[in-house]
Amino acid sequence: GMAAAALGRRAEAVAAGERAVAMTAGRPLVLDARMATYSLAMIHARAGARDAALAALAAGLPMSPKVSAWWLRLDPAWDA
């Protein structure tokens, strides 16, 4: 999904990200679900869909103690 987003193929990127989130939902490895949700948010951000990116972050942040508003400010990937 991230590669497709970097190439400007928004629909393909979002579909791949949403598949990853769906595949990890309800799985015992919570880390996979966190990373899939975080990646989907980054895909939306790279595609210019800020509202969708924020919605994905809002869904994923409660699951992740390592991703916080502070971390997002430090990560240059979110500077767009």
Side-chain angles (χ1 to χ4, degrees):
M2 295 294 285
L7 293 171
R9 299 191 309 232
R10 182 175 189 260
E12 180 183 343
V14 170
E18 289 175 347
R19 276 194 310 273
V21 169
M23 287 180 2
T24 59
R27 301 268 191 234
L29 295 176
V30 176
L31 179 60
D32 291 342
R34 287 183 209 155
M35 289 308 299
T37 303
Y38 184 78
S39 294
L40 178 59
M42 288 192 76
I43 288 168
H44 282 304
R46 285 186 182 214
R50 291 184 182 187
D51 289 341
L54 291 173
L57 282 174
L61 282 177
M63 293 188 298
S64 180
K66 292 186 179 184
V67 177
S68 65
W70 178 81
W71 172 254
L72 296 174
R73 274 181 272 174
L74 291 178
D75 187 349
W78 294 98
D79 287 344

